[in-house]
Amino acid sequence: MRAYTPKDNVQAKPYYTDRFYVAPQVPKQAVESDEVFAADLEAIKAKFEVSDAYIQVGQMVVYIHAKDNYGVLELLKDELQYTQLTEMSAIDWLAKENKFEIFYQMLSMNKRKRVRIKMFIENGQAVNSVEKLFRSADWSEREMFDMFGIEANGHPFMKRILMPYDWQGHPLLKTYPLQGDEFAAWYEVDKIYGKEARDIIGPELRDPARVDRYDSDRFARLGHEVPKGTVITGDEPKIEQSYQEEGGVFMIKKFDKESSVVIDDPQR
Amino acid sequence: MAQHKINYTQDGGLPVALTSIDKIVNWGRSNSLWALTYGLACCGIEMMASGASRFDFDRYGTIFRASPRQADVMIVAGTLTKKHAEFIKRLYDQMTEPRWVISMGSCANTGGMFNTYATVQGVDRIIPVDLYLPGCAPRPETLQYGVMLLQKKIRANKAGNAQKPKRLM
């Protein structure tokens, strides 16, 4: 697997910078500002240790210890009327602090409130399954295992849910390359035809916009058209490229070949 | 087909049409292209539309079959994931010869917009493809035209060795 290099917003940088100051985080309010949440937090604090709690965008966020997750969710479900686990998953903070953040998003239809329970686990640590409390956690925990490799203790069927069972690696880890590692690139070839077919089938073509200038069988060329199948040696006469007809209606600024940039690197 | 002027009032009104074995076999094959129902993604919707009353594939003799053993042409309509790749190979192997494959849409052709770890970058990495249809998704007219092109291709070949071994490897 590729080594992880921190990418501090590299994708956003060349394209966009905020014109005004933007707060790095959504503002937080104290839990005491909402009496329903304050009562809920008191009930949690009475039984479990809470490391942090605040209200963000009208939802209470509570940080607990990883060992308490089953107890806290049981309390929320049975006593505090948070009867639905709408979403749960993990966040990869391995590069920053070698930890995963697990969140459980809870909904109370009676109180019309949402609470998010969060906790940190070490890399390689397992969590307690909450599948016995919420059936929705069944698939969510399997997805968490599939995508991050975090196992849930006590889960009845701890297997991958989306990727094939014989897959290697966990795709939602930030170290996992988007276009797949060596295993992923050859997965279907290895599985169906065997490793010896790699040379015959060849590597994946990852640039579908690629145009081979000297392949007249499969690509038409702009500016210097040749009949299909012509062997092009590379010393064909230069023809000025223009998208604007002489004397035609002005549509497009004339294409200046001198100022254009040729992109050679298909990965750019 | 070579057609001769026949005077139906003579010779007992016997209709005669002269042809060759190749042509009559290919005539039959090309006009009863039974397609394997293979909708993998949104292209499958366009494929279904092609089969339904507005575009009406039945006119071409193209009837969708749910079994590869009854199908002549596999229309791969949609994104082929790596998890599914072994099954498309298995279904292709279950089809009886002669068999043809139409790769429908960008995803089946090249992986399309799914330039990711989980998508096969072109169905021709797994099975040999006769016809590539461009588009995302192609209109039903494109698929109709593709089937007509495939019919043309079938008719242009000899019936006996119409299926030269098309293999990736």
Side-chain angles (χ1 to χ4, degrees), chain A residues 241-252:
Chain A
Q241 280 194 2
S242 64
Y243 297 115
Q244 171 77 43
E245 281 179 40
E246 291 298 334
V249 182
F250 181 77
M251 295 290 284
I252 310 164

Side-chain angles (χ1 to χ4, degrees), chain B residues 43-44 46-47 50 57 64 73-78 101-112 123-124 129-151:
Chain B
C43 282
E46 300 295 300
M47 188 178 69
S50 314
F57 253 159
F64 287 106
V73 55
M74 175 189 263
I75 302 173
V76 185
V101 175
I102 295 177
S103 163
M104 182 181 177
S106 296
C107 295
N109 293 341
T110 65
V123 69
D124 53 4
V129 174
D130 291 274
L131 207 64
Y132 299 88
L133 303 183
C136 182
R139 291 272 308 161
E141 290 93 327
T142 315
L143 183 56
Q144 282 183 321
Y145 182 58
V147 167
M148 285 158 75
L149 278 181
L150 186 63
Q151 288 180 335

Side-chain angles (χ1 to χ4, degrees), chain A residues 230-249:
Chain A
T230 311
V231 180
I232 303 162
T233 52
D235 52 356
E236 70 271 12
K238 285 225 165 191
I239 290 174
E240 194 68 25
Q241 280 194 2
S242 64
Y243 297 115
Q244 171 77 43
E245 281 179 40
E246 291 298 334
V249 182

Side-chain angles (χ1 to χ4, degrees), chain A residues 162-164 171 178-180 184-185 187-189 191-193 200 202-204 206, chain B residues 82-83 85-86 89 110 112 114-121 125-127 168-169:
Chain A
L162 292 169
M163 304 309 292
L178 175 64
Q179 300 186 343
Y187 175 78
E188 77 275 24
V189 174
K191 190 161 189 188
I192 296 170
Y193 295 107
I200 302 160
E204 292 173 324
R206 285 288 184 175
Chain B
K82 298 206 174 189
K83 192 177 184 179
E86 59 173 311
K89 174 74 172 115
T110 65
F114 298 105
N115 195 0
T116 63
Y117 58 91
T119 307
V120 176
Q121 301 294 305
R125 286 175 67 78
I126 309 297
I127 54 176
L168 280 176
M169 45 182 297

Side-chain angles (χ1 to χ4, degrees), chain A residues 151-219:
Chain A
E151 291 191 39
N153 289 335
H155 190 282
F157 192 68
M158 195 77 258
K159 281 199 165 190
R160 286 181 182 272
I161 191 168
L162 292 169
M163 304 309 292
Y165 288 157
D166 55 350
W167 193 263
Q168 289 173 16
H170 300 282
L172 224 54
L173 292 176
K174 290 194 193 297
T175 47
Y176 197 89
L178 175 64
Q179 300 186 343
D181 51 13
E182 170 86 10
F183 172 83
W186 294 103
Y187 175 78
E188 77 275 24
V189 174
D190 287 354
K191 190 161 189 188
I192 296 170
Y193 295 107
K195 274 202 165 95
E196 62 274 12
R198 284 188 182 191
D199 292 337
I200 302 160
I201 293 174
E204 292 173 324
L205 291 175
R206 285 288 184 175
D207 185 7
R210 191 181 70 97
V211 174
D212 187 353
R213 194 173 157 73
Y214 298 105
D215 182 356
S216 64
D217 266 321
R218 284 178 288 180
F219 301 105

Side-chain angles (χ1 to χ4, degrees), chain A residues 5-209:
Chain A
T5 48
K7 302 173 192 64
D8 294 332
N9 230 356
V10 278
Q11 288 188 337
K13 260 179 196 167
Y15 299 111
Y16 188 77
T17 44
D18 289 313
R19 291 169 65 195
F20 307 103
Y21 173 74
V22 177
Q25 212 169 28
V26 180
K28 301 169 181 172
Q29 286 99 39
V31 179
E32 289 74 41
S33 60
D34 187 301
E35 54 190 39
V36 179
F37 281 148
D40 292 340
L41 185 62
E42 281 310 308
I44 297 171
K45 272 184 174 169
K47 286 186 178 173
F48 302 100
E49 201 176 332
V50 172
S51 52
D52 193 13
Y54 51 83
I55 292 175
Q56 214 170 23
V57 206
Q59 302 178 12
M60 182 165 70
V61 182
V62 181
Y63 282 86
I64 59 165
H65 290 298
K67 59 177 169 44
D68 297 331
N69 68 336
Y70 187 91
V72 172
L73 263 62
E74 193 177 30
L75 175 76
L76 283 171
K77 184 189 179 188
D78 293 343
E79 291 170 31
L80 303 180
Q81 296 182 319
Y82 289 91
T83 50
Q84 291 179 30
L85 175 68
T86 53
E87 196 182 350
M88 63 154 292
S89 192
I91 302 165
D92 177 354
W93 294 117
L94 292 179
K96 210 173 172 187
E97 45 205 4
N98 199 28
K99 276 176 182 175
F100 286 109
E101 186 178 295
I102 316 264
F103 64 89
Y104 299 92
Q105 179 77 7
M106 313 288 296
L107 168 66
S108 170
M109 298 288 275
N110 290 342
K111 297 180 178 176
R112 290 182 286 167
K113 293 281 185 195
R114 290 178 196 270
V115 163
R116 187 152 59 251
I117 305 295
K118 286 191 165 198
M119 64 199 202
F120 285 101
I121 62 164
E122 300 292 328
N123 189 9
Q125 192 184 337
V127 297
N128 300 321
S129 171
V130 294
E131 191 268 339
K132 295 284 175 294
L133 290 171
F134 300 100
R135 289 286 288 129
S136 73
D138 184 351
W139 283 11
S140 298
E141 282 175 350
R142 281 180 67 189
E143 190 191 12
M144 190 169 75
F145 169 66
D146 193 357
M147 292 293 147
F148 294 97
I150 301 166
E151 291 191 39
N153 289 335
H155 190 282
F157 192 68
M158 195 77 258
K159 281 199 165 190
R160 286 181 182 272
I161 191 168
L162 292 169
M163 304 309 292
Y165 288 157
D166 55 350
W167 193 263
Q168 289 173 16
H170 300 282
L172 224 54
L173 292 176
K174 290 194 193 297
T175 47
Y176 197 89
L178 175 64
Q179 300 186 343
D181 51 13
E182 170 86 10
F183 172 83
W186 294 103
Y187 175 78
E188 77 275 24
V189 174
D190 287 354
K191 190 161 189 188
I192 296 170
Y193 295 107
K195 274 202 165 95
E196 62 274 12
R198 284 188 182 191
D199 292 337
I200 302 160
I201 293 174
E204 292 173 324
L205 291 175
R206 285 288 184 175
D207 185 7

